[in-house]
Amino acid sequence: MSAHRKLRALAAATVVAALAAGCSSANSDANRKAGGASGVLTVGMPNGPMTNNSNPFLGTSAGASLGYRRMIYEPLAMTNLVRPSEKAKPWLATDWTWESNFTKVTLTIDPKAKWSDGKALTAEDVAFTFDLIKKYPALNGNGIQYGGIEAQGDKVVLTFKESQFVNQNKILDIFIVPKHIWETVKDPATFPNRTPVGSGPYKLKTFTPQTTTLTALPSYWKGTTQVKELRYTSYNDNSAQTTALANGKTEWSFVFMPNYKQLYVNKDPENNKLWFPSGLGIHGLWFNTTRGPLANKALRKAMAMVVDRRAIHVQAQATLYPEITNPTGIPLPAGESFLAPEYNSATTKPDVAGAKKILDEAGFTLAGGVLKDPSGKPVKLTFTDPAGWNDYITGLSIIKDNIKQLGIEAKVKTQTAEAWTADVSNGNFDATLHWTNSGPTPYDMYQNIMDGELIQPIGKSAPLGNFGRFDSPDATKALREYANATEDAARTTAMNTLQKIMVEDVPMIPTAAGPIGAEYSTKNWVGWPTEADPYGPPQPTQPNALDIVLHLKPAK
């Protein structure tokens, strides 16, 4: 969805991909026989025509949009957003040790690791990768401020000026690239990387705007793979992608579909599965806190008190996205351990009477069904989101009806995704449904929404977050205290402060937990993550996607 832009770009590339429309239908090559018997796994996304770009660092590349970059390039460790408190699974790094203040980490690189061209992957490659990210901000999607970077034998030592407690997984998730290839690249930020060399088990075989095919390497440093070929296809839109899932042309996807039981599950109840767990990111109505009456926190809080999250969950999101039931916005049960005691039993049940009381006490008046701000002006708002993002548009319509009970007049305006993205970043909106970052703690979510250090003037792009220009010194201070704390007690205090600010000042209204789910078929392949075996989120673009493919076995 922040430097996080990555997660934003991730969340942008995943969530956006799931909600938005895409391109053309699958071509004939992608629709050939698939499945365990042939060793082929078909993956689909509703993302539109792709441009040949396999740069693993760019969230806008085809490799990121479809997810195949994760089959070619590997991280230092596999993290699990479904169980964010779990220790990451060693991958290119066999071990990593942080100093107690999280300003230094020592990584031990697996001596068995190799590149797809047969050359050894070494600590020098890892150090080179971090140097590359440090030198080129466009590659540093998480905005991490790297200090010293040094290879020492089979180890890499990274140092930082500030605690990296909140960035541990982001550092482990970094794609490692081969020095002998990338050291000759003039501009890594624009490098299309059309013949990628990685350490993963797959290589790029063919690319078209509609379909990308990967084939398994004959020898992969971690062992053999059951899936011998991966076919990624971009479909025209959500409807075309849903049809491809229903008829078996796609076996794995992440796409929003209303009436998913009728459209997908019931077509093959035995094999057509979906699992939509939540991590610690959310969707919500972001406010531009610099605009007119929305600068008044009483209005924002009153609106939050009347929004019917249950209706949004059922009508707008077809119950696919996990419901938000706590006003702090922290998804449950994933974030239950972070809840402040005062919000343990809090709910998001609409309270119209309570909202009217808050408005009255703040100087708002209601006459003839019209709410007027303390200066006497009628409260009128415009909600914006991209045309075709039906779940968001339906959600805005529900919110529009909810706040009508307070006398607020709102209209819903649709835009192209490109125009909307620019307007949100530049602060050119009243309110919009948008996602947040996600991470191992609620810090990433709150930082994306409330960090004063991310504020840009209206009209200037704010690529890292705080699109609503929410200016709270207390929130910014609590975020810094959480990030730099050396003890859990201090982090708990800071997290409790952030929750109170979220509830009382309402920089955005949480409407749903951010889904990290997917649809998949067990007809030809088994071994998918499930609620009973949550070894990772099932989405094909998430950091653990390669781990999923390596878990798959042909169905008997």
Side-chain angles (χ1 to χ4, degrees):
M1 284 189 175
S2 154
H4 298 21
R5 293 41 9 287
K6 188 142 134 242
L7 251 195
R8 222 31 321 98
L10 191 250
T14 50
V15 175
V16 170
L19 303 177
C23 115
S24 65
S25 303
N27 65 19
S28 58
D29 178 69
N31 294 334
R32 281 192 239 147
K33 178 184 176 183
S38 64
V40 176
L41 173 65
T42 56
V43 189
M45 294 293 282
N47 295 7
M50 295 287 106
T51 299
N52 192 353
N53 190 317
S54 297
N55 189 320
F57 300 113
L58 303 183
T60 55
S61 69
S65 182
L66 297 177
Y68 71 81
R69 63 177 175 173
R70 302 193 180 280
M71 306 298 147
I72 296 172
Y73 293 97
E74 296 182 298
L76 295 163
M78 287 285 178
T79 57
N80 182 357
L81 291 176
V82 178
R83 296 291 184 269
S85 62
E86 286 184 355
K87 180 179 172 61
K89 181 186 299 185
W91 212 261
L92 289 178
T94 59
D95 186 44
W96 51 94
T97 304
W98 286 93
E99 290 195 352
S100 59
N101 61 3
F102 293 96
T103 60
K104 180 180 179 181
V105 63
T106 301
L107 304 153
T108 303
I109 308 308
D110 196 320
K112 301 187 301 296
K114 290 185 180 300
W115 299 110
S116 60
D117 60 8
K119 297 182 183 296
L121 187 157
T122 70
E124 289 287 343
D125 292 300
V126 177
F128 169 82
T129 299
F130 281 106
D131 274 324
L132 201 66
I133 293 170
K134 178 181 178 180
K135 182 178 179 181
Y136 294 91
L139 307 183
N140 191 359
N142 291 311
I144 296 172
Q145 298 300 306
Y146 293 96
I149 301 169
E150 184 179 0
Q152 300 176 355
D154 65 348
K155 297 180 177 5
V156 175
V157 179
L158 306 176
T159 58
F160 309 86
K161 291 182 179 180
E162 295 183 339
S163 169
Q164 298 301 307
F165 175 81
V166 297
N167 292 324
Q168 295 174 73
N169 283 0
K170 297 183 184 77
I171 291 168
L172 294 175
D173 282 338
I174 291 294
F175 293 110
I176 305 302
V177 298
K179 179 181 179 180
H180 65 279
I181 301 290
W182 285 72
E183 65 183 350
T184 63
V185 175
K186 291 184 178 180
D187 185 359
T190 60
F191 179 43
N193 193 32
R194 295 193 177 106
T195 54
V197 173
S199 62
Y202 295 93
K203 65 178 180 180
L204 182 63
K205 179 182 179 182
T206 59
F207 183 96
T208 73
Q210 287 75 38
T211 300
T212 301
T213 301
L214 307 184
T215 56
L217 296 166
S219 59
Y220 168 49
W221 71 275
K222 288 180 73 72
T224 59
T225 59
Q226 300 273 2
V227 178
K228 301 305 180 185
E229 184 169 291
L230 286 156
R231 294 180 191 154
Y232 291 83
T233 299
S234 259
Y235 286 85
N236 185 49
D237 51 28
N238 287 2
S239 177
Q241 179 61 82
T242 299
T243 298
L245 280 164
N247 64 26
K249 291 181 180 178
T250 293
E251 298 170 283
W252 190 16
S253 182
F254 170 35
V255 60
F256 175 76
M257 58 174 79
N259 304 318
Y260 63 88
K261 291 182 181 178
Q262 176 185 350
L263 295 174
Y264 173 60
V265 176
N266 291 346
K267 300 296 183 180
D268 185 357
E270 183 178 353
N271 296 302
N272 287 356
K273 309 294 182 182
L274 50 78
W275 181 44
F276 274 69
S278 71
L280 292 176
I282 58 176
H283 297 261
L285 187 72
W286 292 61
F287 294 116
N288 186 336
T289 62
T290 69
R291 277 200 176 180
L294 289 174
N296 191 318
K297 69 178 182 181
L299 178 63
R300 303 195 301 266
K301 185 172 183 180
M303 290 174 62
M305 291 174 67
V306 301
V307 170
D308 190 342
R309 275 81 161 186
R310 183 65 185 174
I312 292 174
H313 174 65
V314 174
Q315 298 172 32
Q317 296 152 357
T319 72
L320 276 177
Y321 300 176
E323 186 177 2
I324 285 289
T325 58
N326 192 282
T328 64
I330 294 178
L332 304 176
E336 190 169 11
S337 64
F338 297 100
L339 276 182
E342 63 183 300
Y343 298 119
N344 266 330
S345 58
T347 70
T348 54
K349 184 178 180 180
D351 180 6
V352 177
K356 288 182 175 180
K357 181 180 178 181
I358 285 175
L359 290 171
D360 182 64
E361 292 174 346
F364 288 79
T365 57
L366 182 63
V370 176
L371 183 70
K372 296 183 179 181
D373 67 22
S375 71
K377 293 181 179 179
V379 178
K380 297 181 179 181
L381 303 173
T382 299
F383 296 158
T384 55
D385 268 303
W389 292 18
N390 295 335
D391 56 336
Y392 271 13
I393 300 303
T394 302
L396 291 178
S397 296
I398 292 171
I399 296 171
K400 173 185 173 181
D401 291 342
N402 294 157
I403 63 175
K404 186 69 174 177
Q405 300 172 90
L406 301 177
I408 301 171
E409 180 184 341
K411 64 179 180 179
V412 176
K413 182 183 79 172
T414 60
Q415 303 174 267
T416 65
E418 183 178 8
W420 171 77
T421 299
D423 280 351
V424 170
S425 185
N426 292 328
N428 183 27
F429 67 96
D430 284 349
T432 181
L433 279 174
H434 197 285
W435 56 88
T436 72
N437 290 332
S438 180
T441 76
Y443 168 87
D444 294 86
M445 173 182 82
Y446 287 143
Q447 193 260 354
N448 195 207
I449 300 168
M450 298 191 279
D451 193 348
E453 293 185 6
L454 302 182
I455 293 176
Q456 297 292 339
I458 295 295
K460 183 176 180 181
S461 178
L464 304 186
N466 199 346
F467 308 119
R469 275 66 176 176
F470 178 68
D471 191 1
S472 167
D474 289 341
T476 302
K477 181 172 179 281
L479 287 164
R480 296 290 80 73
E481 289 175 345
Y482 187 91
N484 295 313
T486 57
E487 296 180 355
D488 287 342
R491 278 188 281 269
T492 297
T493 298
M495 181 58 64
N496 291 352
T497 297
L498 292 168
Q499 291 174 57
K500 188 172 184 64
I501 293 171
M502 186 72 172
V503 174
E504 297 298 327
D505 290 3
V506 196
M508 65 99 80
I509 301 175
T511 57
I516 42 178
E519 298 88 2
Y520 53 84
S521 171
T522 59
K523 182 177 182 179
N524 298 307
W525 297 100
V526 295
W528 304 95
T530 64
E531 188 169 5
D533 185 16
Y535 65 85
Q539 234 169 72
T541 57
Q542 287 293 330
N544 65 299
L546 173 58
D547 197 24
I548 292 176
V549 170
L550 296 181
H551 270 79
L552 297 182
K553 298 179 180 179
K556 296 180 180 179

